[in-house]
Amino acid sequence: MTAVIQAYRFALDPTPRQRRVLASHCGAARYAYNWGLRLVQQRMEQGRAGEDVEVPWTLSKLRREWNQTKTQIAPWWAENSKEAYSSGLDGLARALKNWTDHRSGRRRGRRMGFPRPKRKGHCRDACRFTTGQIKVFPDRRHIQLPRIGVLKTHESTRKLARRLEQGTARIIAATISRQADRWFVSFTVEVQRHIPTGNGKAGVVGVDVGVRHLAVLSTGVVVPNPHAVQRSLRKMRRLNRELHRRKLGSRRRGQTRRRLARVHARAANVRRDALHKLTTILATQHGTIVVEQLNLAGMVRNRHLARALADAGLAELRRQLYYKTDWYGSRLVVADPFYPSSKTCSACGWVKAKLTLAERTFTCEACGLRLDRDLNAARNLAMLAEHVAQSGWETQNARGADRKPQLAGQVAMKREAGGPGGREAGNAAFRKDAATRRSAAAGCPSASPWSASAGRDQAATVW
Ligand SMILES: [Zn+2]
């Protein structure tokens, strides 16, 4: 049994009074965040002017400052749980750390700017509870949060309640959040899971995440986009036009805005659901799954809705596969970002110089192969795994053995991190491991069709 941090998210059915309390807690978290940010900026100013002041950079320091001044600046503080203010300050402390880590080169990925103030209606409404009365009731329809009290859930909490009753789960924290006009609670739970070393399947599958389809598999299976997403896209365009016709600050504009938010939320839900179904099948039915690398650092901010959705889809697919391959004992291989999966011929290895997005069919000028572009890419990805196995790379699940439970709140961040550097810095065993793998990659025969990427420091990362 291994302890794994897992989230359980349930939609809520709050009463109108409870809605106000939920919103108030999120507002309190935002207030504390903005207050802390102003304080930090002020102290930095004073420091620059030569004054000897301490800049509160950590959660404990921020919390101390807040407790000293809260009665003067926010005499209403007792209306909300103290966890709300702590939650806001925690968010600020993390943002400040991300910024310093990025500046000192300790953090990979996207550029991290200095934290900016949160604006009501423009930021995510959320608040996290880490202490106090957090409960899931055995009737599977109610939960309890500190200060907010008993809330009815919109769906059954069966999956979590069952684990709690069996004693294989422990709640670490609960986060309330709002999406469109619906409230959710997400429990961060330490779950005891049996992690197998393999799922008994030998097959390799390459997955190409597309725009036209949800995914194309190297086996030839085309997983279509859910129809609901296409319909939502049309609705979004219409509502967007409607929104821009409405007068600023009018009641009708507010109405359209809420409707648009609901359509967005529904599209995201449908898509996530489809991805969950796909990743579970992939992780249980195949021994090895190969996906493309995300263009993490230079993630293009593009204006095309469909393209942006596909990018988000790839990120979500990888995030889900990352932990599901662990749970079910399969292996995930992530191709090098420079590996030309779309431009390479899956039959002879010839590499096309240029392939535009509009070209839907791949035509090989060397052997005459004509194949659907996405299928060709998926086949190349699958072949990469075989190549990886031949060059003596570890073929077992690389993570199963020495997994440690991740700390609360760090779950999403770690899964998003791109390469070996994204893992815990203190995990020396892993670093050594990564180094050996890299040298194995460097020894790739350069005559292989993968020579284009073999010169780079690694062709793929095995998780
Ligand atoms: Zn060819």
Side-chain angles (χ1 to χ4, degrees):
M1 287 296 200
T2 314
V4 174
I5 301 293
Q6 223 177 303
Y8 286 85
R9 186 168 178 258
F10 305 106
L12 296 170
D13 266 345
T15 63
R17 197 194 66 84
Q18 284 175 331
R19 275 180 179 273
R20 282 195 296 277
V21 178
L22 289 168
S24 168
H25 274 75
C26 295
R30 189 176 56 233
Y31 182 89
Y33 177 99
N34 286 336
W35 169 85
L37 182 57
R38 276 197 308 274
L39 180 76
V40 166
Q41 283 172 321
Q42 202 181 10
R43 295 276 172 88
M44 282 167 85
E45 253 337 286
Q46 287 171 325
R48 274 196 287 270
E51 282 179 61
D52 183 27
V53 284
E54 195 198 15
V55 184
W57 211 256
T58 59
L59 173 60
S60 58
K61 282 185 182 144
L62 283 164
R63 205 145 53 181
R64 198 177 314 139
E65 297 271 359
W66 165 256
N67 284 328
Q68 278 163 8
T69 38
K70 65 183 175 188
T71 37
Q72 285 119 56
I73 53 151
W76 40 263
W77 64 269
E79 285 170 27
N80 304 299
S81 163
K82 66 176 174 29
E83 292 279 295
Y85 309 104
S86 184
S87 171
L89 295 175
D90 183 42
L92 176 63
R94 281 171 197 274
L96 290 170
K97 183 171 184 304
N98 285 347
W99 180 67
T100 39
D101 280 359
H102 179 82
R103 295 226 319 174
S104 62
R106 263 172 300 173
R107 188 190 159 88
R108 289 159 49 118
R110 199 157 58 84
R111 198 183 76 86
M112 285 285 145
F114 191 76
R116 276 174 302 188
K118 287 190 189 296
R119 277 172 66 200
K120 184 179 180 179
H122 290 260
C123 67
R124 187 174 114 96
D125 277 346
C127 171
R128 184 176 170 93
F129 298 87
T130 51
T131 57
Q133 291 287 317
I134 303 172
K135 275 190 206 158
V136 176
F137 289 101
D139 71 350
R140 300 175 178 186
R141 277 290 175 182
H142 294 87
I143 60 137
Q144 187 179 348
L145 293 175
R147 199 67 212 241
I148 295 171
V150 177
L151 288 156
K152 191 173 170 296
T153 58
H154 186 71
E155 51 197 325
S156 169
T157 61
R158 182 180 70 247
K159 290 213 161 157
L160 175 57
R162 211 185 269 156
R163 279 199 175 274
L164 290 170
E165 284 156 22
Q166 287 168 353
T168 56
R170 187 173 64 88
I171 296 176
I172 294 169
T175 304
I176 52 163
S177 65
R178 188 180 57 80
Q179 195 186 17
D181 47 7
R182 169 143 280 169
W183 284 93
F184 292 88
V185 64
S186 173
F187 292 101
T188 308
V189 184
E190 192 189 78
V191 177
Q192 295 295 329
R193 279 189 90 99
H194 170 71
I195 305 279
T197 43
N199 67 354
K201 302 280 194 311
V204 175
V205 66
V207 185
D208 183 80
V209 180
V211 184
R212 290 178 312 151
H213 316 290
L214 191 66
V216 176
L217 311 185
S218 58
T219 51
V221 175
V222 177
V223 187
N225 269 320
H227 289 301
V229 171
Q230 291 307 318
R231 247 194 334 264
S232 301
L233 284 177
R234 281 198 296 275
K235 257 192 206 166
M236 274 177 211
R237 288 193 198 99
R238 187 176 57 76
L239 284 169
N240 257 321
R241 284 197 299 271
E242 192 176 294
L243 185 71
H244 286 101
R245 280 201 304 272
R246 302 272 185 245
K247 222 169 89 188
L248 268 175
S250 71
R251 190 178 54 83
R252 303 245 280 169
R253 189 182 165 99
Q255 237 166 35
T256 308
R257 197 167 46 83
R258 276 190 296 277
R259 270 169 60 202
L260 184 62
R262 267 203 297 273
V263 176
H264 271 286
R266 178 169 157 73
N269 287 343
V270 170
R271 226 187 133 77
R272 196 182 320 114
D273 179 59
L275 280 170
H276 266 298
K277 285 172 181 153
L278 171 66
T279 51
T280 298
I281 292 174
L282 288 173
T284 52
Q285 302 300 315
H286 301 276
T288 303
I289 301 128
V290 194
V291 292
E292 299 165 77
Q293 173 67 280
L294 273 178
N295 188 5
L296 270 182
M299 186 74 103
V300 250
R301 301 226 171 274
N302 48 53
R303 319 181 305 114
H304 299 286
L305 205 51
R307 189 61 242 181
L309 268 176
D311 280 352
L314 179 58
E316 181 64 15
L317 180 103
R318 262 199 47 186
R319 190 188 71 78
Q320 292 177 9
L321 279 176
Y322 192 90
Y323 68 83
K324 285 186 187 180
T325 47
D326 236 26
W327 289 0
Y328 302 119
S330 35
R331 191 173 67 128
L332 178 66
V333 174
V334 178
D336 180 279
F338 303 103
Y339 175 60
S341 63
S342 321
K343 289 190 227 165
T344 308
C345 170
S346 60
C348 71
W350 175 77
V351 181
K352 207 178 174 85
K354 199 171 155 53
L355 185 74
T356 62
L357 263 175
E359 289 175 59
R360 299 310 322 168
T361 311
F362 179 88
T363 312
C364 178
E365 286 167 28
C367 73
L369 174 88
R370 277 180 66 86
L371 194 65
D372 175 75
R373 169 210 178 94
D374 300 334
L375 181 58
N376 181 56
R379 284 196 183 167
N380 279 324
L381 287 169
M383 270 193 280
L384 186 65
E386 276 148 35
H387 177 70
V388 164
Q390 275 164 21
S391 57
W393 284 21
E394 231 173 274
T395 46
Q396 57 163 27
N397 181 342
R399 307 202 321 139
D402 63 336
R403 272 216 71 193
K404 291 184 188 73
Q406 293 157 333
L407 284 173
Q410 303 292 327
V411 185
M413 248 170 51
K414 276 221 198 127
R415 288 193 178 139
E416 233 173 71
R423 311 197 92 221
E424 213 139 53
N427 196 342
F430 181 83
R431 272 208 304 270
K432 194 177 130 263
D433 214 29
T436 22
R437 278 188 208 146
R438 212 166 282 155
S439 53
C444 287
S446 57
S448 76
W450 293 276
S451 54
S453 61
R456 312 272 177 182
D457 70 339
Q458 65 197 110
T461 311
V462 187
W463 291 105

